[in-house]
Amino acid sequence: MSRINKNVILALLTLASSAFLLFQLYYYKHYLSAKNGAGLSKSKGSRLGFDSTQWRAVKKFIMLTSSQNVPVFLIDPLILELINKDFEQVKNISHGSTSECKFFCVPRDFTAFALRYHLWKNEEGWFRIAENMGFQCLKIESKDPRLDGIDSLSGTEIPLHYICRLASHAIHLVVFHERSGNYLWHGHLRLKGHMDRKFVPFRKLQFGRYPGAFDRPELQQITVDGLEVFIPKDPVRFLEEIPHSRFIECRYKEARAFFQQYLDDNTVEAMAFRKNAKELLQLAAKTLKKLGVRFWLSSGTCLGWYRQCNIIPYSKDVDLGIFIQDYKSDIISAFQDVGLPLKHKFGKVEDSLELSFQGKDDIKLDIFFFYEETDHMWNGGTQAKTGKKFKYLFPKFTLCWTEFVDMKIHVPCETIEYIEANYGKTWKIPVKTWDWKRSPPNVQPNGIWPVSEWDEVIQLY
């Protein structure tokens, strides 16, 4: 009897201990682990990816800029692309609700932000506070190009880039300055002799290889990986601007030398022409931008910008270039709608198209359409009386931004090659008598239009 009791008791104890063990395992799995997980998700560095060097560096940088009212916004191409892929969901994420670091935790050397310098009121002491937070910062300055046209102010330096390193990650702060054409500009990142070239891998920077120009973006604040940041409201538009943002300055020093040799024409007639030509160019730019058509300064207007940073007063017209693939069928009606009637239309879309519109006071707007071949580009010309065709050859070129008559506007990046093709090596010497059929060194005969096509390819108004 006592033997049976012992076995029963032993079995009961074993069963009870097993049940208690199972209960402990169940309780830990369904209650404690969930509770601990929630607690960990609220603590720094415990959520997935939030212990990364990149995220900590960005978090400290945002804390720094927020506390000092530094007007920055995110311009990093990689992160903006990732955000844009899931833009609607990212916009709806509330602060602190993120459980996984998807954007700032991507392994890389830099994260790029832009500083709106004209809104920054507290530059003094910023470096010191950054260093107190553990950052090592480098400031790159250079001459303010906006003052190059003013002898007494040229040479004044402005900040162009800040690079702040925390551990193995760096923040590249690109300084955006306002320009008179109502756009934002950043400068070239050029290290001075005393600067440490091993401070960061500079070659990997995505901004600063050359100056850049951007339309002023509208901003919005969103939560990215638990951090409040400003980004362009239209990230796609900003991303599209980046690869085409290269900017080249007007050559003020050379322009001053030109006017020392050839006196500027400041007669009433010349000043009136420049005023009217500027207004015509601005109206044309506004019209083409509305159509979404790329264009650039061409012929004499381009020469005036490059040689003397101004409109050539004896040119009597405004010249623009457009790639034929950007032609739109409503371009003529668009100009007519803003008060610029068509003066003539030569050629056709497939061959040698040229449009001319009449501005006020007998100033013309000439638009030349450019065609691309394997190793060169060209635009055409037509003689109305004879139907003769001409071709003007140019080396291939790309487009850069510049500032001209208070506008952000395109010019050929390979400007000197473009001008020398059109005007030869003596382009620095003013020439007031110009025969478009013979004077350009790049002109060549291109046949004659069949008489049967004259009504289509030679239209005078």
Side-chain angles (χ1 to χ4, degrees):
M1 184 70 179
S2 61
R3 182 178 178 83
I4 295 174
N5 288 341
K6 287 181 181 180
N7 289 336
V8 170
I9 291 171
L10 182 60
L12 289 172
L13 288 173
T14 301
L15 182 62
S17 62
S18 299
F20 183 69
L21 179 61
L22 289 172
F23 174 77
Q24 284 183 311
L25 290 173
Y26 178 84
Y27 181 76
Y28 177 79
K29 180 178 180 181
H30 291 277
Y31 292 93
L32 288 182
S33 62
K35 183 178 179 181
N36 289 341
L40 287 171
S41 68
K42 294 178 183 177
S43 64
K44 182 177 70 173
S46 60
R47 292 170 291 172
L48 186 59
F50 284 83
D51 58 347
S52 71
T53 302
Q54 301 91 268
W55 185 82
R56 290 199 302 269
V58 173
K59 180 183 179 182
K60 276 200 170 185
F61 175 75
I62 291 174
M63 290 171 58
L64 168 64
T65 55
S66 297
S67 66
Q68 298 301 305
N69 295 317
V70 183
V72 302
F73 62 97
L74 182 68
I75 60 171
D76 194 283
L78 174 62
I79 298 177
L80 287 179
E81 286 173 2
L82 292 174
I83 290 173
N84 186 62
K85 288 179 180 178
D86 205 6
F87 195 33
E88 292 304 317
Q89 183 176 346
V90 172
K91 284 196 299 184
N92 295 324
I93 293 176
S94 59
H95 181 69
S97 65
T98 307
S99 61
E100 181 180 356
C101 187
K102 297 180 179 179
F103 305 100
F104 290 128
C105 297
V106 177
R108 50 214 302 268
D109 297 298
F110 298 96
T111 301
F113 286 82
L115 164 66
R116 294 175 289 169
Y117 190 74
H118 59 287
L119 299 178
W120 194 10
K121 307 298 182 184
N122 188 28
E123 183 178 0
E124 296 297 327
W126 188 79
F127 259 35
R128 176 179 52 79
I129 297 171
E131 289 172 353
N132 289 340
M133 294 180 70
F135 285 102
Q136 293 177 285
C137 291
L138 185 66
K139 180 180 181 180
I140 292 95
E141 295 180 303
S142 190
K143 291 192 304 181
D144 188 344
R146 296 168 296 182
L147 304 177
D148 279 352
I150 307 173
D151 286 333
S152 60
L153 296 177
S154 62
T156 303
E157 292 206 336
I158 54 172
L160 299 180
H161 298 265
Y162 293 93
I163 298 177
C164 292
R165 185 179 67 191
L166 184 70
S168 61
H169 194 72
I171 304 297
H172 181 197
L173 185 57
V174 184
V175 183
F176 276 26
H177 295 271
E178 281 210 333
R179 299 287 293 245
S180 59
N182 194 32
Y183 63 96
L184 300 178
W185 168 91
H186 71 77
H188 183 199
L189 197 160
R190 184 180 287 113
L191 297 178
K192 296 183 178 180
H194 66 279
M195 292 182 175
D196 181 7
R197 280 160 169 74
K198 296 182 180 180
F199 184 71
V200 291
F202 289 100
R203 292 181 181 275
K204 295 183 180 180
L205 291 174
Q206 294 179 290
F207 295 89
R209 294 173 187 167
Y210 42 74
F214 292 82
D215 290 338
R216 186 193 308 276
E218 186 178 352
L219 303 179
Q220 67 174 338
Q221 190 175 38
I222 62 172
T223 300
V224 180
D225 292 338
L227 304 174
E228 297 289 334
V229 295
F230 283 96
I231 68 167
K233 194 168 185 178
D234 186 351
V236 174
R237 168 65 182 148
F238 187 83
L239 287 167
E240 289 173 347
E241 285 190 83
I242 292 175
H244 309 291
S245 62
R246 186 177 177 183
F247 184 95
I248 51 182
E249 294 287 350
C250 174
R251 308 179 323 142
Y252 288 106
K253 182 179 177 181
E254 290 79 2
R256 286 196 293 269
F258 173 83
F259 286 123
Q260 286 176 356
Q261 187 172 3
Y262 306 99
L263 294 179
D264 194 8
D265 186 351
N266 290 319
T267 61
V268 174
E269 293 78 13
M271 293 175 68
F273 170 76
R274 281 177 170 152
K275 177 179 178 295
N276 292 333
K278 175 181 176 179
E279 292 174 355
L280 178 59
L281 177 57
Q282 290 174 336
L283 179 59
K286 183 178 179 181
T287 304
L288 291 170
K289 184 175 182 179
K290 189 175 181 180
L291 287 172
V293 174
R294 291 180 300 168
F295 70 96
W296 65 90
L297 302 181
S298 190
S299 302
T301 308
C302 184
L303 176 63
W305 163 76
Y306 191 72
R307 186 175 68 189
Q308 53 211 72
C309 297
N310 209 334
I311 294 170
I312 299 174
Y314 54 81
S315 60
K316 304 306 178 187
D317 56 20
V318 171
D319 302 310
L320 301 180
I322 294 177
F323 293 121
I324 193 62
Q325 62 264 33
D326 292 332
Y327 170 81
K328 293 192 176 180
S329 59
D330 55 349
I331 191 170
I332 294 176
S333 61
F335 277 107
Q336 291 175 329
D337 289 344
V338 297
L340 298 177
L342 185 65
K343 185 176 178 64
H344 71 241
K345 175 185 176 184
F346 294 153
K348 48 189 176 181
V349 175
E350 310 89 70
D351 184 7
S352 305
L353 183 63
E354 174 190 340
L355 301 176
S356 184
F357 298 90
Q358 185 63 61
K360 68 179 182 179
D361 294 336
D362 207 31
I363 302 176
K364 289 191 307 168
L365 170 67
D366 291 332
I367 298 180
F368 305 101
F369 288 86
F370 279 65
Y371 300 77
E372 185 172 0
E373 304 291 349
T374 304
D375 59 351
H376 68 278
M377 295 181 178
W378 63 276
N379 73 278
T382 296
Q383 188 177 32
K385 293 180 179 179
T386 63
K388 288 182 179 179
K389 298 168 61 182
F390 299 87
K391 180 181 284 190
Y392 302 85
L393 306 182
F394 293 84
K396 285 195 170 183
F397 59 89
T398 54
L399 297 181
C400 284
W401 292 110
T402 192
E403 185 173 308
F404 186 59
V405 295
D406 300 324
M407 294 173 56
K408 178 169 80 81
I409 201 164
H410 275 130
V411 292
C413 299
E414 300 77 12
T415 318
I416 187 65
E417 292 84 359
Y418 188 88
I419 288 176
E420 286 187 351
N422 216 177
Y423 296 98
K425 299 287 186 180
T426 59
W427 57 268
K428 293 182 182 179
I429 302 172
V431 176
K432 295 187 178 181
T433 302
W434 188 259
D435 184 346
W436 61 270
K437 302 181 295 298
R438 297 182 179 87
S439 298
N442 62 338
V443 65
Q444 64 180 38
N446 192 30
I448 187 169
W449 291 107
V451 175
S452 60
E453 295 184 12
W454 279 25
D455 288 343
E456 176 189 359
V457 300
I458 304 175
Q459 299 180 21
L460 301 173
Y461 298 88

